[in-house]
Each structure stands twice: as C-alpha cells, then as structure tokens.
Amino acid sequence: MAILPILQYPDERLHKVAKKIERVDDSIRKLVRNMAETMYAAPGIGLAATQVDKHIQLIVLDVSEKHDDLKVFINPVLLESLGEEESEEGCLSVPGIYEKVRRAERISVGALDENGKQFTLDAVGLLAVCIQHEMDHLQGHVFVERLSHLKQTRIRAKLKKQRRETL
Ligand code: GNR
Ligand code: NI
C-alpha cells in the first residue's frame, strides 16, 4: 500500500474532468486501496481520484467514527437530489480552510463498487455532503469555487501565507 501525494489548490490539474472507468480490474482495486490509505492517513472522510492526479471517476469515502465503513463509488451518477442545506466544508486540497457551502439535503446516487457491481445509495447529512463534494472534484470543481470571488481571493492569500510559514 502507499500514501499518494494530494494536489493542493490552486493547481490546474484539480480542474480536469474525470473519465468514466470502462473496466473495474485489479489496477482499479489497487488504486482504491491506496486512496483509502491516503484518506485515512490524512485524515479525511473522502477522497476523489482527481485529488491524487488520477482523472478517472473514482471516489472513496468513510464518514464513520470508527473508520470501518469504507465506501467506494465508481462512475457515480446523481439520480435524485432534494432540498437545500448549508454546512461547513473542508478539503484535503485546501488545508486549513473551512467555509459554509449550500448543497442538496438528500440525494440518491447510483455507482459501481470495487467489484464492478451496481448499487444505489440514499444519503442525508454528512454522507450526502461528502458525496456531493467528491462528485464536484470529479467534474474539476473545488468547493471554494462555489464561494464568492472576494472569499476566493482571500482564501488564496491565506493559503500563500500558510505555505510561506511552513517552508
Ligand atoms: O475530509 C474531508 N472533510 C470534509 C468535511 C466536510 C465536507 C466535506 C469534506 S471532504 C474532505 C476530504 C476531501 O477533500 N475530499 O475531497
Ligand atoms: Ni475535497
């Protein structure tokens, strides 16, 4: 297993649109294991392949307290979204920044698991937020891009300062 480097915003590779996975094979399952290890080590509750510079439609996620409920989404499709809710989000590609984002309150997602088996999942709360956050990454969107331009400018300045101080 391996910890993979996570792209840091602003990096133009975070804006690439992920391609559909044609075949769920051992190379995909190996990437799933490495992404899970990277997510747990960070620590984070989700990780999109885009963030580790792999531009394919793959997400790993675990919102459980005991870190024993890994969920894998391959080629995820949003089947339904209902209501609106605002909640605070963070991102491993934008460390130290937490901002409120408005998203659908309840969603239904269809995807393949790591064995290529199709499933659907209804989600609310943190799970719903996290799935939407990760599906945004696959489309090349980072959560800060849903904020006002003023906030985005401030965030970029703060990140630059943070990075100067940790050099
Ligand atoms: O670890 C993460 N926490 C989080 C908290 C609130 C909303 C979304 C997230 S996802 C984030 C990990 C990450 O960057 N995934 O892309
Ligand atoms: Ni993220």
Side-chain angles (χ1 to χ4, degrees):
M1 297 232 284
I3 308 266
L4 308 169
I6 297 175
L7 297 178
Q8 299 294 300
Y9 174 85
D11 184 313
E12 66 277 11
R13 291 169 291 179
L14 286 169
H15 297 133
K16 288 195 183 186
V17 178
K19 292 203 164 69
K20 208 170 158 182
I21 294 176
E22 297 297 342
R23 223 168 65 91
V24 182
D25 56 17
D26 286 345
S27 75
I28 296 293
R29 284 184 279 273
K30 182 178 174 193
L31 179 58
V32 166
R33 286 196 302 276
N34 288 336
M35 282 175 57
E37 191 183 11
T38 303
M39 172 186 76
Y40 287 125
I45 58 172
L47 192 68
T50 308
Q51 290 175 280
V52 294
D53 204 19
K54 305 275 193 260
H55 303 285
I56 55 175
Q57 293 178 24
L58 168 61
I59 291 165
V60 297
L61 185 157
D62 187 344
V63 299
S64 74
E65 254 163 45
K66 294 158 99 181
H67 295 173
D68 61 357
D69 189 20
L70 182 69
K71 288 181 163 60
V72 178
F73 299 81
I74 292 167
N75 302 339
V77 179
L78 199 61
L79 302 173
E80 206 176 286
S81 63
L82 284 169
E84 273 192 355
E85 196 155 61
E86 205 176 46
S87 64
E88 190 148 273
E89 298 193 15
C91 182
L92 296 173
S93 295
V94 197
I97 307 289
Y98 302 91
E99 295 282 350
K100 289 221 161 195
V101 181
R102 182 178 300 278
R103 297 194 186 270
E105 185 189 3
R106 325 174 60 91
I107 59 167
S108 175
V109 195
L112 302 178
D113 67 14
E114 69 273 32
N115 297 311
K117 194 172 180 307
Q118 203 175 319
F119 68 96
T120 66
L121 179 74
D122 296 327
V124 295
L126 185 59
L127 180 60
V129 171
C130 193
I131 292 170
Q132 292 175 80
H133 175 115
E134 304 311 339
M135 287 182 73
D136 264 5
H137 276 302
L138 297 183
Q139 291 302 315
H141 302 305
V142 179
F143 84 105
V144 297
E145 293 157 359
R146 290 179 166 271
L147 307 171
S148 69
H149 285 283
L150 177 60
K151 276 194 175 169
Q152 291 185 42
T153 304
R154 286 179 178 158
I155 287 167
R156 279 197 289 271
K158 190 175 167 187
L159 287 168
K160 268 190 189 164
K161 182 168 183 286
Q162 256 171 223
R163 280 163 195 161
R164 272 201 306 276
E165 285 165 357
T166 52
L167 276 180

